Amino acid sequence: MDYRKEAQKIPAEDRPISKKNVSGLGNFFGIYGGEHIAATEFVIGATLVTLGVRATDIFLGLIVGNILATLTYALICAPIGVDTRVTLYSYLKKVMGPYMQKIYNVVWGLASIAMAASMLTVSASAVREIFGIKLQTEWYPTDIKFVLVVIVLGIIVTLVAANGFNAVAKFSSVCVPWMIIVFLAGFCVVVPQLIEITGASGIHGFGDFMALMNTSVWNGEVIEGGQDLTIFHVIGFAWMCNLAYHGGLNDMALFRYAKSARYGFVTCYGMFIGHFFA
């Protein structure tokens, strides 16, 4: 039997990647910075403010939840990805057959459309001031310029993704440091304004900072009709908000390129700078 010919009959997307295509640790820092250090965290933080979460609950809840998420990446998703060297779709086909694979592809495809649309909308909102686009407050776009910006951003992201793992990693490695600087700059600008508005005496230590946050930001007040959330809700949210990627194994597509399953711990970079700091 000619094993080479038999192997060529297997579709390329179903073949495990070869050892020569595995990637180094640096690319994973870029990938997981780009995947989790995003402006949507600003929106999530503001939402938690309106739902009665206190600052102490935010800090402790996000620490615990993000540790659990990192461990799920490192102890479940990464080992399976490194062991099989295939995507989740190929893995499902082997384990559950082609019909279940097709069903999953449809369901996850629809979910991906929704997530991509939301992320592109947030990205377009970040640059709308540059193009003189008014704030979009309806569930549908009200400015054609906003739609055009979303389309252009979508084309850029698609072209980068279509060029494969290394292209995404390099693109992320360039963008992520600037995103971290922007987040830090936002913090440095807003906190003095908050001190001035509230009449606080200033921040001389971490205790003063937490006191300011507990009294002026995450003060436990709930907007009318909102649900009063606790630290357990924050832990669950931080752990589960990327469940499809770590517990659901979608990031097998990335970890199949890892030299070692220990690369799963690199996700703490995105978890804590993205999901915690932002």
Side-chain angles (χ1 to χ4, degrees):
M1 179 183 293
D2 190 335
Y3 292 104
R4 183 175 297 179
K5 289 184 178 180
E6 291 298 316
Q8 289 175 345
K9 293 179 182 179
I10 302 174
E13 63 270 17
D14 289 334
R15 300 175 199 164
I17 66 162
S18 62
K19 289 185 178 180
K20 69 178 182 179
N21 288 325
V22 297
S23 187
L25 192 61
N27 280 341
F28 281 86
F29 275 103
I31 284 283
Y32 278 98
E35 184 171 339
H36 298 292
I37 301 174
T40 45
E41 273 64 43
F42 287 138
V43 180
I44 294 166
T47 302
L48 292 174
V49 169
T50 67
L51 295 176
V53 182
R54 297 189 63 81
T56 305
D57 296 335
I58 285 284
F59 271 71
L60 295 178
L62 289 181
I63 288 173
V64 174
N66 287 324
I67 287 175
L68 291 173
T70 299
L71 291 176
T72 309
Y73 270 118
L75 302 180
I76 297 177
C77 185
I80 296 175
V82 171
D83 183 56
T84 62
R85 298 290 183 191
V86 296
T87 65
L88 174 61
Y89 312 108
S90 298
Y91 195 54
L92 278 174
K93 186 176 182 180
K94 292 178 181 179
V95 175
M96 305 186 71
Y99 294 108
M100 183 57 69
Q101 181 200 41
K102 288 181 173 62
I103 293 172
Y104 184 85
N105 282 353
V106 171
V107 173
W108 183 244
L110 294 174
S112 297
I113 290 171
M115 285 188 285
S118 64
M119 296 296 284
L120 289 171
T121 300
V122 170
S123 299
S125 298
V127 298
R128 66 175 182 81
E129 288 283 353
I130 299 175
F131 300 102
I133 301 171
K134 61 183 179 180
L135 187 64
Q136 303 293 292
T137 57
E138 302 292 341
W139 65 268
Y140 54 87
T142 57
D143 192 322
I144 187 63
K145 288 188 292 185
F146 186 81
V147 176
L148 294 175
V149 171
V150 170
I151 291 173
V152 170
L153 290 174
I155 291 172
I156 294 172
V157 171
T158 302
L159 289 175
V160 172
N163 279 279
F165 178 89
N166 287 327
V168 174
K170 290 176 182 177
F171 189 84
S172 298
S173 298
V174 171
C175 295
V176 167
W178 292 102
M179 294 168 67
I180 296 173
I181 292 171
V182 169
F183 285 5
L184 181 60
F187 175 82
C188 294
V189 169
V190 170
V191 170
Q193 294 179 355
L194 183 62
I195 293 172
E196 181 180 352
I197 292 171
T198 58
S201 58
I203 297 177
H204 307 288
F206 185 70
D208 292 338
F209 174 74
M210 289 300 294
L212 178 63
M213 295 297 103
N214 270 316
T215 56
S216 303
V217 184
W218 291 288
N219 55 15
E221 296 181 6
V222 185
I223 61 172
E224 185 177 352
Q227 181 182 357
D228 190 5
L229 301 185
T230 67
I231 187 173
F232 299 105
H233 292 94
V234 179
I235 291 172
F237 176 79
W239 187 12
M240 298 296 175
C241 67
N242 284 104
L243 182 63
Y245 297 97
H246 49 68
L249 303 181
N250 263 283
D251 271 6
M252 282 175 60
L254 299 179
F255 284 116
R256 62 183 173 146
Y257 290 97
K259 291 182 178 179
S260 166
R262 291 193 296 271
Y263 283 19
F265 288 103
V266 172
T267 57
C268 70
Y269 172 61
M271 293 293 104
F272 281 90
I273 296 180
H275 292 190
F276 180 81
F277 178 60

